[in-house]
Amino acid sequence: EVFGEGAERLCFRGALVDARDARVLEWLALKESRYEEEHVVKRHDDDDNDQEAMSRFHVAFCRTQYESGVFADEFNELLRLGCPDANLPPVVFIKPRVYEINVGGDVKRVLG
């Protein structure tokens, strides 16, 4: 069930659960792109399936988020050095994770 919506993402509540005893390890906010399918480019020269294409989308998304976080850290440091008394909030990118969830017997990957 969607609990939040943005211009590009839907947000769901979820939990990381221990497979041995169904104990909740961590509560999660899981995000799914409204337009994920539009970003998935299938190659026509191989027998690629939808899950492999979606995996490439998630890898590219996570790489972009990671690189953005590195740039944000550099920006924050330069800002701190150049304006030490400014007391500005930092620019932060959350480290993305990809989770596989079981939805009615189908495995689906979502960003967390």
Side-chain angles (χ1 to χ4, degrees):
E1 180 178 322
V2 174
F3 82 86
E5 295 184 42
E8 294 188 7
R9 302 223 186 294
L10 302 173
C11 195
F12 303 87
R13 286 186 178 99
L16 186 58
V17 178
D18 189 314
R20 295 169 294 186
D21 59 10
R23 183 172 38 98
V24 173
L25 302 173
E26 181 182 357
W27 290 102
L28 305 168
L30 302 170
K31 299 166 288 270
E32 183 174 48
S33 174
R34 291 181 186 268
Y35 312 107
E36 206 166 87
E37 296 80 23
E38 295 175 17
H39 300 297
V40 175
V41 179
K42 291 182 70 173
R43 288 178 265 182
H44 298 289
D45 59 347
D46 61 17
D47 294 329
D48 200 6
N49 67 38
D50 288 340
Q51 281 293 5
E52 289 170 353
M54 201 61 72
S55 291
R56 283 197 308 277
F57 168 80
H58 285 128
V59 167
F61 179 86
C62 290
R63 181 178 297 123
T64 300
Q65 287 292 107
Y66 172 79
E67 290 172 357
S68 297
V70 170
F71 291 137
D73 291 343
E74 292 172 4
F75 173 82
N76 292 331
E77 181 63 14
L78 290 172
L79 193 59
R80 187 185 67 75
L81 294 172
C83 306
D85 298 327
N87 197 24
L88 299 170
V91 175
V92 177
F93 281 80
I94 297 171
K95 291 182 176 70
R97 296 180 279 182
V98 177
Y99 293 97
E100 289 186 347
I101 60 173
N102 187 321
V103 180
D106 292 327
V107 174
K108 185 174 187 175
R109 291 187 179 105
V110 294
L111 297 168

